[in-house]
Amino acid sequence: MTLELALDTFGDVSLDAEGRMKPQDAVIRDVVAQAVHADESGVDFIGLGEHHRDDFAISAPEVILGAIAARTSRIRMGTAVTVLSSDDPIRLFQRFSTLQALSGGRAEVILGRGSFTESFPLFGYDLKDYETLFNEKLDLFTRLLRGPKVSWSGTTRSPLRNQAVFPTLARPMRAWIGVGGTPESVIRAVHYDLPMILAIIGGPAARFRPFADLYRRAADQAGQAIQPIGVHSPGHVAETDAQAKEELWPHYKSLLDRIGRERGWPPVSRDKFEAEAAEGALYVGAPETVARKIAGTVKALGLSRFEMKYASGPMPHEQLMRSIELFGSRVAPLVRDMLA
């Protein structure tokens, strides 16, 4: 497949013109406008992450994706990620087969376990079942993707016997597995013959090369065609490197410091921010700077998709819109030229 240049967001709750935090309903409407702008700017894919927290507005991404489908004509759309462990695979399949119909075949789902755990108590699941829930639900969901009727049995729900699930897919739908960076997760993606998205949120992308190599080697040994590999990393684009950094820094720090307080991490320093921008997983700067770094990551890992999380913390909607426009209209063409 050709290289896809993509964007994603968790619907980070952002600041309004007066510096106040917006209500979540306003943020959701902003996300739809951002996706429409991404479509107009030439971005290949827009992903919406599922969370159940007060700092991220998107808890039902498929509903928002339906609104996006109705207002766009070209861009592909999906989740980044769907927390499969605490969802019902049959209902998830029905929502996405409906989105596939609404969008004219532009829907995708990225399946993952998520980096937050709020959905487990919210939907009545026990974290001790973390592995079993994901493995069994992934097994059922992939069977739904590949046939009009499914038979399945496991420990997390009642069995199915030659069960039809509606609406059926009028055309195939791509599903990916989101991987945080363990060999077991890579092998799982190969086992189910699904493309893989690596979440690289810190450090140089090149350190993930062993996972990309393992994925291709395992697929080859299994006699499978090698599926696409993608990367998800944070970033921000502005007219100059200095402007991009100054716009992003306070919001990036706000986001990571809040998560750090929950997880026992120290506050993020400006030196750490600058190091991630220079050599790590932060793609921030002018279009030429961001394009060079993306091109380097694509070559280092042999990627088919690069997906930039364009919203980090409470960055205002207007800055996000400009970043989206620059990514689609300038970064993406530059990357393709650099790799030609």
Side-chain angles (χ1 to χ4, degrees), residues 6-298:
L7 294 171
D8 62 50
T9 180
F10 300 163
D12 303 50
V13 174
S14 56
L15 298 172
D16 65 16
E18 284 73 43
R20 299 169 302 193
M21 299 299 285
K22 286 187 172 183
Q24 288 196 341
D25 63 333
V27 175
I28 287 170
R29 293 190 292 273
D30 284 348
V31 168
V32 175
Q34 290 158 16
V36 171
H37 197 45
D39 183 50
E40 295 166 344
S41 301
V43 177
D44 294 319
F45 172 86
I46 183 80
L48 308 186
E50 174 198 346
H51 291 82
H52 304 272
R53 302 165 50 90
D54 63 353
D55 47 352
F56 301 129
I58 301 172
S59 62
E62 301 91 341
V63 178
I64 305 171
L65 290 167
I68 292 168
R71 293 185 55 189
T72 58
S73 60
R74 183 197 54 79
I75 195 169
R76 298 187 63 81
M77 64 197 68
T79 49
V81 302
T82 288
V83 185
L84 180 60
S85 308
S86 56
D87 209 332
D88 180 270
I90 293 178
R91 292 295 289 140
L92 179 66
F93 174 82
Q94 290 178 322
R95 298 195 302 269
F96 267 92
S97 59
T98 300
L99 179 63
Q100 180 77 330
L102 284 172
S103 65
R106 293 183 284 139
E108 300 182 9
V109 57
I110 303 177
L111 305 165
R113 291 181 285 187
S115 59
F116 297 89
T117 60
E118 289 86 357
S119 65
F120 284 80
L122 181 64
F123 298 120
Y125 293 101
D126 194 323
L127 274 171
K128 69 180 177 59
D129 299 322
Y130 186 82
E131 289 289 337
T132 301
L133 286 167
F134 185 73
N135 289 335
E136 290 199 358
K137 292 182 177 190
L138 178 62
D139 186 64
L140 175 52
F141 188 82
T142 53
R143 294 185 190 211
L144 291 165
L145 285 174
R146 290 166 180 161
K149 295 185 178 182
V150 64
S151 295
W152 181 91
S153 64
T155 64
T156 55
R157 58 154 294 139
S158 57
L160 298 168
R161 296 286 180 263
N162 202 33
Q163 177 69 54
V165 179
F166 304 101
T168 57
L169 286 169
R171 63 187 83 187
M173 182 177 69
R174 185 191 293 173
W176 304 67
I177 293 185
V179 173
T182 66
E184 295 79 11
S185 295
V186 173
I187 296 301
R188 183 187 291 113
V190 174
H191 174 75
Y192 287 104
D193 195 18
L194 294 176
M196 175 178 73
I197 294 276
L198 291 164
I200 304 179
I201 57 175
R207 70 189 178 96
F208 281 76
R209 180 68 195 222
F211 298 109
D213 290 343
L214 173 62
Y215 181 79
R216 295 185 177 99
R217 186 168 64 251
D220 184 63
Q221 291 172 355
Q224 298 171 187
I226 296 173
Q227 297 276 13
I229 298 176
V231 158
H232 150 102
S233 289
H236 177 63
V237 191
E239 274 71 13
T240 68
D241 289 354
Q243 180 184 348
K245 289 179 180 179
E246 290 310 309
E247 288 179 351
L248 179 60
W249 161 242
H251 309 300
Y252 179 87
K253 179 174 174 58
S254 173
L255 172 65
L256 267 66
D257 284 357
R258 175 167 182 167
I259 296 171
R261 287 191 294 271
E262 298 171 1
R263 301 185 180 184
W265 302 341
V268 176
S269 68
R270 183 65 188 245
D271 286 346
K272 172 67 173 174
F273 171 81
E274 293 288 349
E276 285 292 342
E279 303 291 342
L282 189 56
Y283 295 73
V284 56
E288 296 78 8
T289 300
V290 174
R292 279 194 299 272
K293 192 168 185 179
I294 291 173
T297 297
V298 170

